[in-house]
């Protein structure tokens, strides 16, 4: 029996459904599913929310990354620096664009790329860096941009987990040449299926991404004129309606995530767990609430027995994934150690304080016993 779910997508849907039902059903019954006013409206709303001039809706976050790289001319012979501890899509998009990922290690405190780890990964072949705002937190963007600018490389933000996150009061998506978002259902702003977007303030880049995502058709051309070889990666109207409906609640949902995370931090502060740190100038939007413990698998199993769902993001760093090992050129100790310890605790906007307390009480009960068992095993 599940007492604390890892997330609850249905609660968000129930909250927004009354406001979107008429327009959603109208679109569903009219059959105008591709493009149109609903998509254009959401693109305007999302660009404004991110503080950019343009947003291009696409089919998913992975496509957003690849389309951006291709639109920027990144391809064969180029390297793109990516952190090793990210979802595999970050590195896979680089490979799919024809370039080579160059893996960087991260801070032991925030698990985010640092100026030092970026600098160490840059080579003469490096064309771009993909800065990942992991778990809902942005790294030191001013310092990273300075390193990238000195090296003459492009900056792309992988903001798939960072809807509404900020660095020094500035929103995720507004720093690089472009930023890529996923609206996978479990994201802070999630669709009813797969969806994504690219945001940028460069009009020519937005046009290029839009053309590549629409079979190579440029704006204003006929249906059968294709200026470049593109693909089919378009945001559909039903998803755009859902996203617009949820966007109206995103700030309130984000604040609830922040409040729940503060409750977790207060309760867990003396339990021997290492929580991922929050940088002083960052606004963490807590897509995930991540702790580190040497007994991760035992803790997770016991929580599961008590009906508390958890996740692991991510148990294998990208440079150790079989299809990506050929791009690795050495150990990345922080990412590798963290991968063995990471545990994502339940966190979602409709979670109750009691559910947080139940999770923390369970951890308080089990951690001393698990720690004692581990010490006993080492002693033997």
């Amino acid at each position: 029996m599940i007492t604390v779910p890892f997330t609850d997508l249905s609660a968000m849907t129930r909250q927004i459904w009354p406001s979107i039902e008429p327009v959603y059903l109208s679109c569903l019954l009219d059959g105008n599913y591709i493009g149109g006013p609903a998509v254009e409206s959401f693109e305007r709303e999302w660009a404004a929310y991110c503080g950019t001039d343009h947003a291009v809706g696409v089919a998913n976050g992975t496509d957003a990354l690849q389309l951006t790289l291709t639109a920027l001319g990144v391809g064969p012979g180029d390297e793109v620096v990516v952190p090793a501890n990210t979802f595999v899509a970050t590195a896979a998009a680089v490979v799919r664009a024809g370039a080579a990922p160059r893996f960087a290690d991260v801070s032991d405190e925030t698990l985010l790329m640092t100026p030092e780890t970026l600098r160490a990964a840059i080579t003469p072949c490096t064309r771009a860096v993909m800065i990942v705002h992991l778990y809902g937190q942005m790294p030191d963007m001013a310092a990273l941009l300075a390193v990238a600018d000195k090296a003459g490389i492009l900056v792309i933000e992988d903001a798939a987990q960072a809807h509404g996150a900020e660095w020094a009061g500035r929103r995720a998506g507004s720093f690089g040449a472009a930023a890529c978002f996923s609206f996978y259902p479990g994201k802070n702003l999630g669709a009813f299926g797969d969806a994504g977007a690219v945001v940028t303030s460069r009009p020519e880049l937005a046009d290029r991404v839009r053309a590549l995502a629409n079979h190579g058709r440029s704006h204003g051309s006929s249906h059968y004129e294709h200026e470049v070889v593109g693909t089919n990666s378009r945001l559909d109207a039903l998803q755009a309606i859902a996203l617009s409906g949820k966007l109206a609640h995103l700030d309130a949902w984000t604040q609830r995530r922040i409040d729940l995370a503060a409750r977790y931090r207060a309760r867990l502060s003396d339990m021997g767990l290492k929580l991922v740190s929050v940088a002083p100038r960052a606004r963490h939007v807590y897509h995930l609430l991540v702790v580190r413990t040497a007994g991760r698998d035992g803790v997770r199993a016991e929580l599961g027995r008590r009906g508390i769902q958890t996740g692991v993001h991510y148990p294998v760093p990208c440079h150790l994934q079989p299809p990506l090992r050929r791009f690795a050129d050495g150990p990345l100790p922080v990412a590798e150690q963290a991968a063995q310890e990471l545990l994502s605790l339940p966190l979602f906007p409709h979670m109750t304080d009691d559910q947080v307390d139940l999770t923390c009480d369970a951890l308080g009960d089990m951690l001393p016993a698990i720690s004692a068992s581990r010490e006993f095993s080492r002693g033997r």
Side-chain angles (χ1 to χ4, degrees):
M1 176 180 177
I2 297 173
T3 55
V4 184
F6 184 66
T7 190
D8 186 354
L9 303 183
S10 62
M12 287 183 276
T13 299
R14 286 193 297 271
Q15 184 176 351
I16 69 157
W17 183 247
S19 66
I20 71 167
E21 180 180 11
V23 64
Y24 191 93
L25 291 178
S26 175
C27 180
L28 183 67
L29 297 174
D30 287 347
N32 297 316
Y33 303 142
I34 305 298
V39 173
E40 294 167 2
S41 178
F42 174 71
E43 288 177 336
R44 289 192 298 271
E45 293 166 1
W46 187 240
Y49 188 85
C50 295
T52 62
D53 293 335
H54 305 278
V56 181
V58 297
N60 55 68
T62 306
D63 283 359
L65 295 167
Q66 182 184 349
L67 288 164
T68 297
L69 289 166
T70 301
L72 287 168
V74 177
D78 296 326
E79 291 179 349
V80 179
V81 177
V82 300
N85 63 322
T86 182
F87 183 56
V88 70
T90 309
V94 175
V95 178
R96 289 174 59 202
R102 175 86 174 161
F103 293 109
D105 213 347
V106 291
S107 162
D108 192 47
E109 299 301 317
T110 64
L111 299 182
L112 300 172
M113 189 184 293
T114 70
E116 293 75 23
T117 62
L118 170 57
R119 194 177 294 113
I122 293 173
T123 77
C125 294
T126 303
R127 179 77 186 284
V129 55
M130 201 167 282
I131 299 174
V132 178
H133 307 325
L134 195 67
Y135 307 144
Q137 181 177 204
M138 301 177 69
D140 186 341
M141 293 302 294
L144 288 167
L145 287 168
V147 173
D149 184 63
K150 184 175 181 179
I153 61 175
L154 297 162
V155 173
I156 301 162
E157 297 174 67
D158 180 343
Q161 299 183 4
H163 309 74
E166 297 177 3
W167 179 263
R170 186 171 162 186
R171 283 263 169 88
S174 64
F175 285 86
C180 305
F181 288 89
S182 166
F183 302 123
Y184 181 77
K187 303 298 186 185
N188 289 26
L189 181 65
F192 289 168
D194 280 316
V198 177
V199 299
T200 181
S201 290
R202 301 184 181 186
E204 72 287 351
L205 180 57
D207 289 345
R208 180 78 171 174
V209 170
R210 193 178 299 280
L212 287 167
N214 190 26
H215 294 292
R217 301 183 184 101
S218 63
H219 180 70
S221 65
S222 78
H223 190 73
Y224 296 108
E225 291 181 38
H226 309 272
E227 296 190 0
V228 295
V229 175
T231 189
N232 179 6
S233 182
R234 298 171 298 208
L235 176 66
D236 69 59
L238 291 171
Q239 301 296 359
I241 291 167
L243 289 167
S244 288
K246 287 188 174 183
L247 182 54
H249 297 271
L250 180 58
D251 285 339
W253 289 347
T254 297
Q255 187 56 53
R256 180 57 179 163
R257 287 178 182 271
I258 293 170
D259 292 344
L260 290 166
R263 190 177 188 89
Y264 264 122
R265 287 184 176 276
R267 289 291 315 274
L268 298 176
S269 61
D270 59 352
M271 290 190 189
L273 293 170
K274 183 176 181 179
L275 281 80
V276 174
S277 297
V278 180
R281 304 185 74 188
R283 182 188 187 236
H284 197 322
V285 297
Y286 289 99
H287 172 58
L288 296 168
L289 191 286
V290 177
V291 299
R292 294 172 63 177
T293 175
R296 188 264 309 285
D297 293 340
V299 172
R300 190 178 189 210
E302 181 58 28
L303 286 172
R305 282 191 285 271
R306 298 182 185 214
I308 300 170
Q309 294 183 329
T310 57
V312 177
H313 302 86
Y314 300 95
V316 181
C318 287
H319 69 295
L320 299 182
Q321 293 284 357
L324 298 172
R325 286 178 183 167
R326 61 193 171 103
F327 299 107
D329 62 355
L332 299 171
V334 175
E336 291 169 22
Q337 181 64 38
Q340 302 174 46
E341 303 170 344
L342 297 168
L343 181 66
S344 300
L345 300 180
L347 183 69
F348 51 96
H350 296 80
M351 189 177 190
T352 66
D353 290 353
D354 286 346
Q355 287 175 317
V356 173
D357 291 341
L358 185 62
T359 303
C360 293
D361 288 343
L363 287 166
D365 287 345
M366 72 180 70
L367 285 172
I370 290 174
S371 178
S373 174
R374 194 162 59 247
E375 291 298 326
F376 177 75
S377 297
R378 278 201 289 263
R380 293 179 64 188

